[in-house]
């Protein structure tokens, strides 16, 4: 299908969708009092499940005829044919509409979405009484109230070893990821950015044949926005619009990115290679995505003004799966822990379970709610959860004070000229007509030059306060720089307000000498020197002269250290909470860590998320939101090399090949507090970093794989006490007898929340390399005895091996302890599995 035809169809689809909302009830305005958005799941099978049922008998006969063996049939299962049973999907929508009309006859309601591919259901605006009426119908599986969600690179390819490692294996950056479609559910994209252009590519670069998505056309996302790189783009905002929180002037009812976050994450995953990063007139190298040749499909479901809602996110997931993306990346997390029997039972996670069943690898940010234990915001074992680490590049500049003290700052800015020292003048002390010190915070923050005395400040360094208002977007560094220029200052220094705690200050672009002192302790030292150097009139106490002097050393060139990677303080931590009582799940979260601190990425020309980068084409920001797309891009490289890997196999390859050491060979550290996080570091545990720090090159040659299927995850859910009705509601399938716990899943980790005396754990490994002999060794967690059988084994390529671990408590303890299991092959493969045990009971009472 050509692009013109795809885009034309998109306009028609949008019109039909709007029309459907308008006709769904007696009106389609904003919320009426007493109404809310509900997500309703029907019992009848959705399109994908129906198609899979039809294909099962035929595919099993084909496998038997081809001589497929049990050792490879699950691992190497091909993705479904993209052809859709369109009539069945339309039939489901008609049934939904008819059902609503019959059940709510004569009543007002607004149907927002029809879900039909991964789940059969809809989102609808109704009253609680109407929701109760729907839930009593035999056709309905589940009714759940909608909930809100939120959003949670030039050097990182080198830090991850891609140019000399993984990219070389794929044929270089000009080939890395080709044929793989990464679907991003985020705030949209800026299609004009060179990171997403296809005119840089002169050789064959077709849109993957299996991808069937379209490109919406709107006034701010015109025809031609999509290309061979950006192969699809849609937006989902019906729940937000119906609630009345959608700000059309800021949020844009289109795939266009008015925030910046979505453009940034898309470029990290699969942005073009070799794009110059120029910010504030300074060149900071060339940018590249992790899989620069992969294709991007955007499903906008988050917005600048309010974040997003589950009903819109589920619609985006459902559409991405129907479009047949290979990977889904979500740099979003729920605003609260899902209520109910278990955290896993929520519309987003259950939709993603169906996506995994469809063969899609799903990666999600861990959340920026660390460093407390159980702060994890991504819960389910079928979702690959990524925490954030620092990498080895830092941009620091310095202020040298007249008393010979040097203080570190952050600022992508030049230094002052030469070795000259410049007088420091704080904005409140430089008001016109010698006015009294102002009470309005914006003056101390240098947001308004009209009250400042230019003659007093000219040629000096202006001192400004960096308060919580900068964090909230009420004040900006750019406005302060404009103020400094308007009064002819030689530079500007921001000291940190003591109330700005737990917020990482990224290096901020400045087109004049300047810096921000990011430490409250250092800010106190700076202010003490400044205040003690003031000369005041003994009678009036007015300032007679400014005695403090300083010079700024520039921060345009990066420094490279050896203490990276380390887990950032904001990165959410395990153990994985199973429910709202904070009981621990037998699931390791996060799965691993990846670069998430001070990451360069493309920035939308309309981006409002960071005022400091407004109008720039690149931005440097931090968060687990930046870590997740690193893994989405690296997963694309694995998918390219092993096109028939299951989602679990991709996750296993990433997990078992990680690094546990920093660049100096020391253990990876984890920051433990908001304030002065580098002073409170201690060695990271699996609950901080999962399996460890991603090793992109090793992941392309994992040796052994731990595979896990949809049926395994289904049995796990059925094994949760009292879950059978909930599982039936979400999946449409009945639970048989199941005692499977999280520790029994064939995951590349072993996590036991409560070890009562003794327990047997099994893992099955599949060899995706050549014939090899392996030795199994282990380091037992403290207070635990472990035995493994067999301790050695030979495994031919493509075959499986069962390994049994007997785990016994040797002491009573409620403190978590950690060890690991290593599979060491004689051909050089090293497969590492973390081993975590929380509560240990020797004798039950």
């Amino acid at each position: 299908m050509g692009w013109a035809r795809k885009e034309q169809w998109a306009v028609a689809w949008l019109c039909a969708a709007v029309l459907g909302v308008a006709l769904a009830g007696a009106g389609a305005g904003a919320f009426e009092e007493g109404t809310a958005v509900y997500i309703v799941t029907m019992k009848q099978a959705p399109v994908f499940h129906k198609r899979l049922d039809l294909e099962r008998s035929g595919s099993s006969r084909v496998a038997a005829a081809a001589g497929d063996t049990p050792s490879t049939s699950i691992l190497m299962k091909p993705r479904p044919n993209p052809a859709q049973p369109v009539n069945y999907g339309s039939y489901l929508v008609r049934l939904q509409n008819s059902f609503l009309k019959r059940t709510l006859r004569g009543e007002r309601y607004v149907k927002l979405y029809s879900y039909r591919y991964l789940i059969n259901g809809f989102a609808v605006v109704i009253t609680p009484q109407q929701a109760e009426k729907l839930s009593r119908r035999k056709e309905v599986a589940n009714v759940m109230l909608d909930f809100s969600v939120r959003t949670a690179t030039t050097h990182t390819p080198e830090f991850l070893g891609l140019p000399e490692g993984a990219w070389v294996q794929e044929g270089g950056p000009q080939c890395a990821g080709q044929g793989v479609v990464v679907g991003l559910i985020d705030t949209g994209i800026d299609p004009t950015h060179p990171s997403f252009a296809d005119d840089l590519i002169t050789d064959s670069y077709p849109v993957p044949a299996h991808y069937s998505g379209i490109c919406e056309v709107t006034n701010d996302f015109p025809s031609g926005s999509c290309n061979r790189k950006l192969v699809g783009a849609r937006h989902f905002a019906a729940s937000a619009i119906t609630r009345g929180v959608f700000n059309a002037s800021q949020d844009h009812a289109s795939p266009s990115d008015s925030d910046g976050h979505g453009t940034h994450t898309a470029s990290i995953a699969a942005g073009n290679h070799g794009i110059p990063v120029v910010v504030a007139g300074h060149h900071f190298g060339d940018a590249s995505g992790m899989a620069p040749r992969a294709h991007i499909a955007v499903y906008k479901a988050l917005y600048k003004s309010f974040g997003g809602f589950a009903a819109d996110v589920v619609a985006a997931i459902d559409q991405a799966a129907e479009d047949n993306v290979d990977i889904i990346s979500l740099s979003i997390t729920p605003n609260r822990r899902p209520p109910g029997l278990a955290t896993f039972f929520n519309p987003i996670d259950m939709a993603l379970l169906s996506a995994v069943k469809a063969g899609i690898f799903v990666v999600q940010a861990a959340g920026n709610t660390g460093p407390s234990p159980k702060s994890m915001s991504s819960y389910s074992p079928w979702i690959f959860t990524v925490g954030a680490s620092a990498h080895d590049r830092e941009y620091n500049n310095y202020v040298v004070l007249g008393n010979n003290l040097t203080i570190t700052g952050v600022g992508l800015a030049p230094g002052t000229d030469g070795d000259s020292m410049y007088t420091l003048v704080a904005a409140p002390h430089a008001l016109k007509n010698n006015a009294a010190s102002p009470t309005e915070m914006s003056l101390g923050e240098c947001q308004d030059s009209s009250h400042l005395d230019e003659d007093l400040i000219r040629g000096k360094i202006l001192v400004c306060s960096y308060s919580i208002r900068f964090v909230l977007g009420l004040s900006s560094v750019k406005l302060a720089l404009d103020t400094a220029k308007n009064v002819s200052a030689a530079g500007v220094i921001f000291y940190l307000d003591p109330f700005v705690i737990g917020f990482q200050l990224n290096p901020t672009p400045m087109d004049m000498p300047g810096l921000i002192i990011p430490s409250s302790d250092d800010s106190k030292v700076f202010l003490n020197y400044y205040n003690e150097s003031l000369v005041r009139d003994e009678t009036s106490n007015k300032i007679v002269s400014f005695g403090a002097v300083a010079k700024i050393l520039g921060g345009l060139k990066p420094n490279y250290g050896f203490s990276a990677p380390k887990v950032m303080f904001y990165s959410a931590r395990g153990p994985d909470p199973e429910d709202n009582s904070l009981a621990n799940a037998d699931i390791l979260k996060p799965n691993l860590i990846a670069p998430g601190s001070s990451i360069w990425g493309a920035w939308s020309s309309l981006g409002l998320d960071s005022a400091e980068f407004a109008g720039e084409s690149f931005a440097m920001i931090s968060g687990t939101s930046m870590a997740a797309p690193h893994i989405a891009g690296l997963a694309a490289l694995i998918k390219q090399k092993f096109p028939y890997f299951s989602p679990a196999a991709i996750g296993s390859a990433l997990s078992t090949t990680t690094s546990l050491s920093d660049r100096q060979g020391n253990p990876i550290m984890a920051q433990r507090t908001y304030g002065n996080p580098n002073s409170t570091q201690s060695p990271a545990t699996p609950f901080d970093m999962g399996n460890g720090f991603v090793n992109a090159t090793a992941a392309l040659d994992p040796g052994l794989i731990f595979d896990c299927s949809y049926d395994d995850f289904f049995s796990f859910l059925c094994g949760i006490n009292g879950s059978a009705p909930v599982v039936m509601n979400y999946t449409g399938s009945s639970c048989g007898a199941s005692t499977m716990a999280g520790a029994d899943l064939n995951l590349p980790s072993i996590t036991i929340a409560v070890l009562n005396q003794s327990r047997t754990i099994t893992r099955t490994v599949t060899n995706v390399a050549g014939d090899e002999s392996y030795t199994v060794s282990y380091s037992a967690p403290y207070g635990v005895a472990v035995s493994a059988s067999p301790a050695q084994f030979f495994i031919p390529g493509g075959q499986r091996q069962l390994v049994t671990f007997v785990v016994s408590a040797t002491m009573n303890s409620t403190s978590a302890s950690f060890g690991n299991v290593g599979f060491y092959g004689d051909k050089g493969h090293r497969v590492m599995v973390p081993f975590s045990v929380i509560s240990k009971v020797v004798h039950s009472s």
Side-chain angles (χ1 to χ4, degrees), residues 783-809:
V784 176
V786 177
S787 65
S789 177
Q792 294 180 324
F793 59 86
F794 170 78
I795 181 169
Q799 297 302 305
R800 295 180 175 182
Q801 174 67 51
L802 179 71
V803 181
T804 301
F805 301 93
V806 178
V807 188
S808 303

Side-chain angles (χ1 to χ4, degrees), residues 535-557:
V535 179
R536 294 180 179 270
D537 182 270
E538 293 183 2
T539 304
S540 66
N541 202 38
K542 289 184 177 180
I543 297 172
V544 176
S545 65
F546 300 90
V549 294
K551 64 180 177 180
I552 298 171
L553 304 181
L556 297 177
K557 293 183 179 180

Side-chain angles (χ1 to χ4, degrees), residues 401-403 423-424 429 525-536 543-550:
L401 304 179
N403 60 2
T423 301
L424 300 175
H429 297 156
V525 170
F526 173 81
L527 286 176
N528 286 340
Y529 166 70
Y530 173 82
N531 288 323
E532 290 171 359
S533 301
L534 293 173
V535 179
R536 294 180 179 270
I543 297 172
V544 176
S545 65
F546 300 90
V549 294

Side-chain angles (χ1 to χ4, degrees), residues 221-236:
F221 206 83
S223 177
S225 294
C226 289
N227 53 36
R228 295 174 297 164
K229 180 70 173 179
L230 176 58
V231 295
R234 301 176 185 248
H235 87 285
F236 303 84

Side-chain angles (χ1 to χ4, degrees), residues 566-585:
K566 61 185 171 187
V567 184
M568 300 306 295
F569 67 89
Y570 53 78
S571 187
R573 311 296 168 91
D576 188 15
E578 182 168 314
D579 53 39
N580 269 326
S581 71
L582 295 182
N584 297 313

Side-chain angles (χ1 to χ4, degrees), residues 314-378:
V314 171
I317 295 169
D318 195 61
Q319 189 61 63
E322 184 171 1
D323 292 345
N324 219 29
V325 302
D326 298 292
I327 294 160
I328 290 178
S329 179
L330 301 101
S331 287
I332 60 174
T333 57
N335 278 327
R336 59 181 174 85
R337 189 171 289 113
L341 183 65
T343 52
F344 321 117
F345 294 119
N346 68 82
I348 292 177
D349 284 32
M350 296 308 292
L352 292 172
L353 175 59
S354 287
V356 167
K357 185 177 183 179
I360 300 169
F361 180 71
V362 175
V363 57
Q364 184 179 26
N368 297 335
T369 47
S372 299
K374 300 186 186 181
S375 53
M376 184 57 53
S377 298
S378 174

